[in-house]
Amino acid sequence: MALNNAYNQYKQNSIYTASPEELTLMLYNGLVKFLMQAQAACEKKEIEKTHNSIKRAQDILTEFRETLDRKYPIAENLDALYDYMYRRLVDANIAKDAEIVDEVLGIAKELRDTWSQAIKIVKKKPVGSNDVDSLT
C-alpha cells in the first residue's frame, strides 16, 4: 500500500513538473497505452474493457484537438488526423474491431515517436534559438 502511494505521488509530481512538451509526450504515451489495452481486450472479447479503453483514447484525442495552437499551419493537418483517428475509434468501438484499433495504434505510435524525436532535437539546440523554426 505504501509503495502504491509513493508511486502515485511520483506520477503526480512528474506531471506537475513536466514541460508542455513532456506533457504532450505523456499524453501520446497514454494514447498508445489505451489503444494497446483496447486491442488486447477486443481480441479477448472483453466488451466493457474494450469500450472503456477506446473511450479513454478518444478523450486524449479530444484533448489534443482542443489544445492545438492554431497559429501554426501544421495544426490544421493534425486536427484532421486526430479527427480521423477519433472517427475510426468510433467505428472500432461499435464493431469491437481489433484491426481498426491496430490501424489507429500505428498512427499513434508514429506521432508519439515523432514527438519524442522533436523534443530531443529541440533540447540539443542552443538556448535562445527559435525552437519552432528548427522543426520545420
Side-chain angles (χ1 to χ4, degrees):
M1 178 86 161
L3 183 60
N4 211 11
N5 286 340
Y7 175 72
N8 287 335
Q9 184 65 42
Y10 170 78
K11 277 185 14 182
Q12 191 172 18
N13 287 340
S14 295
I15 292 169
Y16 289 139
T17 59
S19 69
E21 297 82 13
E22 292 167 329
L23 286 172
T24 300
L25 184 58
M26 288 178 192
L27 281 173
Y28 277 125
N29 284 330
L31 178 60
V32 168
K33 177 183 90 171
F34 292 126
L35 290 171
M36 290 175 70
Q37 288 175 354
Q39 188 177 40
C42 191
E43 290 170 354
K44 294 177 185 173
K45 308 289 187 217
E46 296 173 341
I47 294 170
E48 186 174 350
K49 187 171 183 179
T50 301
H51 170 77
N52 291 337
S53 297
I54 288 174
K55 288 299 293 171
R56 303 272 313 261
Q58 287 176 309
D59 289 344
I60 292 172
L61 289 169
T62 298
E63 180 68 18
F64 279 143
R65 291 188 74 198
E66 290 176 355
T67 59
L68 278 171
D69 190 342
R70 306 271 178 188
K71 68 182 177 185
Y72 297 104
I74 196 169
E76 291 307 312
N77 295 339
L78 285 171
D79 186 50
L81 185 58
Y82 295 148
D83 180 56
Y84 172 78
M85 294 167 72
Y86 187 96
R87 286 184 289 111
R88 289 299 286 157
L89 289 176
V90 169
D91 295 340
N93 209 356
I94 291 169
K96 302 300 184 255
D97 189 328
E99 286 184 27
I100 298 173
V101 175
D102 188 53
E103 173 195 345
V104 177
L105 177 59
I107 298 168
K109 285 180 176 179
E110 191 171 326
L111 286 168
R112 179 202 55 197
D113 295 346
T114 300
W115 188 257
S116 179
Q117 274 304 115
I119 290 173
K120 290 174 185 172
I121 291 168
V122 169
K123 284 184 177 181
K124 290 181 181 178
K125 296 295 283 182
V127 175
S129 66
N130 189 338
D131 297 336
V132 173
D133 289 340
S134 68
L135 296 176
T136 56

